[in-house]
């Protein structure tokens, strides 16, 4: 948001009027979708992944933090080739357990998001990823950096202009205020990412039936 005074005018200088920059915890995300948990083991346990891809990943990246999640498509993409995605992590309030947070986030909060006119006008796709990874150190898909995350939201846009317009909109302000009812304000982090589609979906996307199931 532009640095403006109480009268809505720009300050004569920016010293003392701009919030400090906080670097996101993440530099990017690889988003892999599978039909079942069994398929994950088949792909990641393959010889090519074990002998070629994983060694390269360890060389290229400082750290890779996996997060096993169940996907709920709230607003399906019409074309599947959206250019920009805003990725947000969500951590529940201390007085809520994970199941309660995910239930309220999936139903009450998602309905509020969809009810905003700016959502229908600007957001091309809206997805919730519910963390179902083990919470025990040493278990498959456990990572200390992602264990506290209860969910991740993905919002796709046709352009950076649309993403910026949405993030400064009254609709987004109302959404974040409502989210404070279930999520920690200090626990959320977001990255605005440029999408590179390496493997496209094979058919039209449909909204997920919003019924929570056990992991």
């Amino acid at each position: 948001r532009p640095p403006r005074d109480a009268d809505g005018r720009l300050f004569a200088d920016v010293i003392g009027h701009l919030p400090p920059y906080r670097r996101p915890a993440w530099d990017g995300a690889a988003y892999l979708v599978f039909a079942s948990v069994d398929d994950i083991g088949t792909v990641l346990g393959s010889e090519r992944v074990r002998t070629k891809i994983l060694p390269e990943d360890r060389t290229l990246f400082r750290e890779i933090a996996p997060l096993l999640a169940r996907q709920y498509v709230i607003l399906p993409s019409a074309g599947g080739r959206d250019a920009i995605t805003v990725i947000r992590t969500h951590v529940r309030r201390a007085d809520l357990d994970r199941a309660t947070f995910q239930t309220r986030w999936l139903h009450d909060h998602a309905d509020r998001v969809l009810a905003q006119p700016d959502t229908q006008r600007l957001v091309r796709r809206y997805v919730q990823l519910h963390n179902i990874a083990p919470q025990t150190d040493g278990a498959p898909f456990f990572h200390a950096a992602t264990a506290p995350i209860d969910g991740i939201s993905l919002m796709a846009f046709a352009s950076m202009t649309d993403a910026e317009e949405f993030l400064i909109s009254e609709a987004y302000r109302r959404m974040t205020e409502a989210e404070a009812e279930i999520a920690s304000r200090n626990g959320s982090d977001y990255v605005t990412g440029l999408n590179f589609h390496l493997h496209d979906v094979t058919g039209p996307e449909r909204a997920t039936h919003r019924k929570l199931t056990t992991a």
Side-chain angles (χ1 to χ4, degrees), residues 28-45:
Y31 173 44
L32 307 178
V33 182
F34 299 86
S36 69
V37 174
D38 292 338
D39 289 348
I40 300 175
T42 301
V43 172
L44 298 186

Side-chain angles (χ1 to χ4, degrees), residues 187-198:
S188 181
D189 200 2
Y190 80 89
V191 175
T192 305
L194 177 65
N195 294 336
F196 291 93
H197 299 268
L198 303 183

Side-chain angles (χ1 to χ4, degrees), residues 55-69:
E56 288 187 354
D57 285 349
R58 295 187 184 102
T59 301
L60 289 169
F61 304 114
R62 183 182 67 239
E63 181 66 277
I64 299 176
L67 188 148
L68 181 65

